[in-house]
Amino acid sequence: MPQQTDHALKERAPAEWSPPANMTAAALFEAAIRRGEGAVAAGGALAVTTGAHTGRSPRDKYIVEDDATREHVWWEANNRMSVAQFDLLAADFMAHARRVPLFEQDLAIGAEPERQVRVRVSTELAWHALFARNLLIRPEDPGAVPPALTIIDVPSFRADPKRHGVRSETVIACDFRRGLILIGGTSYAGEIKKAAFTYLNFRLPAEGVMPMHCSANVGPAGDVAIFFGLSGTGKTTLSADPNRTLIGDDEHGWSDEGVFNFEGGCYAKTIHLSPEAEPQIHAATRRFGTVLENVVLTAPSSVPDFDDASLTENGRAAYQLDVIANASVSGRAGHPKNVVLLTADAFGVMPPIARLSPAEAIYHFLSGYTAKVAGTERGVTEPSATFSTCFGAPFMPRHPAEYGRLLETLIERHGATCWLVNTGWTGGPYGVGKRMPIAATRALLSAALDGSLNSARFRREPAFGFSIPEAVPGVDARLLTPRETWADKDAYDAQAKKLAKMFAENFRRFEKDVGADVLAAGPHAG
């Protein structure tokens, strides 16, 4: 399939054609094919590749430090850029952008009308415009309301580290006060949606709204569930339940009115995607207008090979939410009845499900734990812990404790029940044990969401203090107690102690910012 290289973009002649604003999905698809940006996959999706950048570049993301941000951004985890630096970068960026055609889309973020922000996305690549149109909300009156946020995405622009004071030629520069975000030096489209998310993550807490990196769905009785989790923990998969209405798969707000989706689409990982395990997502990959990002096509059939990770493990499908049959039309629902924190524990220590107190939920929300497994990265020979606070550190501009306090207030105010669900390993660590059976995870989650699990008998797990059920119909009771699934109980105890110590070390940076109840909610082993 054709590959759009950064070099090809840079060497292209000055623009002689100015695309009309708000081109339809069909027109953008046609333009992308005509310009050699991608190929048509079997079923009608647009398959594209992104060159060297197959994921986000968090180290190349900057926030302008000014009166609006100086006292409100968590600078320990966010890169500063001065106003003067941004002005110089913007001048060079726009001078370059004027030499290439830009595809403009007038979109929106935030399904709650009172919180909705109009966004103008201008992109150098036609497929990036299609991606943005798929992922963000498509208002009925595009362009009728001036945008509060403008995102300009020009992959062929190269920042000059010496001139612009940045780390590399790749740059994502965010000026919240002016509502302007510049993206250059990367063709990875996920930067567009995460830029919009970052903007809302900064703006909404000041309005008393909790921005969340989570999926959400709602049952027939109006019972809302939200699912926090890092990539690979099952956030998209588990929220795509045919018996529940999908509100959204990635980014939401929780206001006084309830939960609302930030987006109008889904950005699902495709590695090892199958019609049996994830039928709705798989079906979406075979629809016209879906963008398949870094997914290998089998020659000569052009059928996507979701098991081929030669481009990246981070292959993605970007599609409009309304292609999911049971997706919410409004993108809104009431207050959550259940809050689920997902982890993929490769150490084999975490239980498949545990009920958490509000304080325990905030401890684990601030920890944001999952694990990498051996073999996924060079030099990783055993499971390694990953802690991404709030389950989304790279796009959380404010201090994590601010989000934690807001979430704890909402949980307590609305009486939500909190759960930890481990979709990782059981019976031993990665390489020894087995991945948690998806059927067991779904059975446990269903029991939690329909309320039946609350009537089970619970007992305290000693290492982490988790409250775990003694028995759940249809689930092997041994599975509920991780230690019982290990052949070598001493090895389990050592592994649990090792992971608990990692939690404690990671949480030290939050100790002065949380209450005694949250501080006491950490692991007991150490």
Side-chain angles (χ1 to χ4, degrees):
M1 61 179 288
Q3 179 166 327
Q4 181 70 44
T5 66
D6 291 339
H7 177 73
L9 281 171
K10 191 170 184 180
E11 295 301 315
R12 197 167 61 227
E16 298 178 357
W17 171 62
S18 180
N22 298 309
M23 292 171 65
T24 64
L28 291 170
F29 192 109
E30 181 183 8
I33 294 298
R34 186 177 65 249
R35 288 155 51 91
E37 294 177 7
V40 182
L46 176 67
V48 298
T49 56
T50 62
H53 294 272
T54 58
R56 289 180 294 102
S57 301
R59 295 175 63 197
D60 296 308
K61 187 174 184 177
Y62 298 83
I63 296 173
V64 173
E65 182 182 13
D66 55 22
D67 292 342
T69 61
R70 188 168 294 111
E71 303 300 325
H72 301 289
V73 168
W74 188 34
W75 297 113
E76 179 183 329
N78 291 279
N79 297 319
R80 304 171 193 256
M81 176 174 281
S82 71
V83 173
Q85 278 180 297
F86 184 86
D87 288 344
L88 178 59
L89 174 71
D92 292 347
F93 189 98
M94 295 312 299
H96 178 90
R98 282 190 287 271
R99 298 197 297 269
V100 298
L102 292 179
F103 295 84
E104 184 177 283
Q105 290 285 311
D106 288 300
L107 303 164
I109 45 178
E112 188 175 286
E114 295 78 9
R115 310 291 178 187
Q116 189 168 93
V117 173
R118 292 298 180 103
V119 184
R120 179 162 294 157
V121 181
S122 296
T123 70
E124 180 179 12
L125 297 176
W127 81 261
H128 275 192
L130 178 59
F131 172 93
R133 184 180 174 86
N134 282 354
L135 266 293
L136 304 187
I137 294 170
R138 299 160 296 282
E140 294 181 358
D141 57 347
V145 178
L149 175 65
T150 298
I151 300 172
I152 307 177
D153 169 64
V154 182
S156 64
F157 175 79
R158 292 290 182 270
D160 182 335
K162 186 175 181 180
R163 175 175 170 80
H164 300 126
V166 294
R167 189 187 72 93
S168 75
E169 292 184 334
T170 299
V171 65
I172 302 97
C174 309
D175 187 326
F176 295 145
R177 181 177 59 82
R178 283 183 273 195
L180 177 61
I181 298 177
L182 307 176
I183 303 172
T186 173
S187 295
Y188 180 67
E191 297 287 9
I192 298 171
K193 73 172 249 127
K194 291 307 182 185
F197 188 26
T198 301
Y199 176 81
L200 287 183
N201 280 350
F202 179 75
R203 174 173 171 157
L204 291 181
E207 302 174 14
V209 178
M210 176 65 191
M212 303 176 293
H213 182 211
C214 71
S215 57
N217 63 25
V218 57
D223 53 304
V224 176
I226 57 178
F227 304 79
F228 290 99
L230 297 172
S231 179
T233 58
K235 180 163 52 71
T236 298
T237 300
L238 294 174
S239 59
D241 185 333
N243 299 313
R244 298 172 65 85
T245 298
L246 179 66
I247 303 169
D249 84 323
D250 197 44
E251 300 167 0
H252 295 80
W254 186 353
S255 71
D256 289 338
E257 304 300 317
V259 169
F260 62 97
N261 194 358
F262 286 172
E263 303 178 286
C266 298
Y267 192 36
K269 290 193 74 170
T270 57
I271 190 69
H272 305 312
L273 180 67
S274 72
E276 295 77 24
E278 298 167 301
Q280 295 188 82
I281 298 172
H282 189 273
T285 68
R286 301 184 66 83
R287 293 181 63 105
F288 172 80
T290 291
V291 175
L292 296 180
E293 190 179 52
N294 296 317
V295 172
V296 175
L297 301 185
T298 302
S301 66
S302 293
V303 172
D305 184 351
F306 297 122
D307 292 319
D308 188 334
S310 58
L311 290 175
T312 178
E313 291 270 345
N314 193 37
R316 298 273 182 165
Y319 50 90
Q320 295 183 10
L321 187 64
D322 55 16
V323 309
I324 302 297
N326 62 327
S328 169
V329 175
S330 69
R332 290 176 284 155
H335 296 288
K337 182 179 179 182
N338 290 284
V339 173
V340 181
L341 308 184
L342 297 167
T343 185
D345 174 34
F347 291 86
V349 168
M350 296 275 191
I353 196 165
R355 188 169 60 190
L356 306 177
S357 69
E360 288 173 326
I362 299 309
Y363 182 96
H364 287 279
F365 171 75
L366 292 177
S367 297
Y369 165 71
T370 192
K372 296 177 182 178
V373 298
T376 59
E377 292 186 10
R378 183 177 298 178
V380 178
T381 58
E382 61 179 21
S384 61
T386 296
F387 294 97
S388 184
T389 186
C390 307
F391 294 99
F395 30 89
M396 295 292 179
R398 294 176 179 267
H399 194 284
E402 185 172 350
Y403 300 110
R405 285 190 293 269
L406 187 51
L407 181 60
E408 187 172 22
T409 297
L410 289 165
I411 287 171
E412 292 179 340
R413 179 183 299 163
H414 299 289
T417 303
C418 302
W419 306 91
L420 179 96
V421 172
N422 173 27
T423 61
W425 276 256
T426 183
Y430 174 83
V432 177
K434 297 180 179 179
R435 192 77 191 253
M436 200 71 68
I438 185 66
T441 299
R442 290 193 183 278
L444 291 168
L445 189 57
S446 294
L449 300 189
D450 68 21
S452 61
L453 192 55
N454 281 318
S455 61
R457 292 182 59 182
F458 286 79
R459 63 182 182 80
R460 283 285 170 183
E461 180 273 338
F464 282 77
F466 291 137
S467 182
I468 58 177
E470 293 183 355
V472 177
V475 178
D476 183 351
R478 291 179 63 253
L479 195 67
L480 300 173
T481 306
R483 191 174 190 270
E484 294 303 311
T485 66
W486 283 54
D488 186 339
K489 302 299 190 285
D490 290 339
Y492 170 85
D493 293 339
Q495 191 85 316
K497 185 175 181 179
K498 176 181 177 181
L499 184 57
K501 185 177 180 181
M502 292 179 187
F503 266 88
E505 290 174 349
N506 172 73
F507 206 79
R508 286 197 183 102
R509 56 185 172 149
F510 304 128
E511 287 179 351
K512 67 180 187 303
D513 300 304
V514 301
D517 59 337
V518 174
L519 198 56
H524 297 178

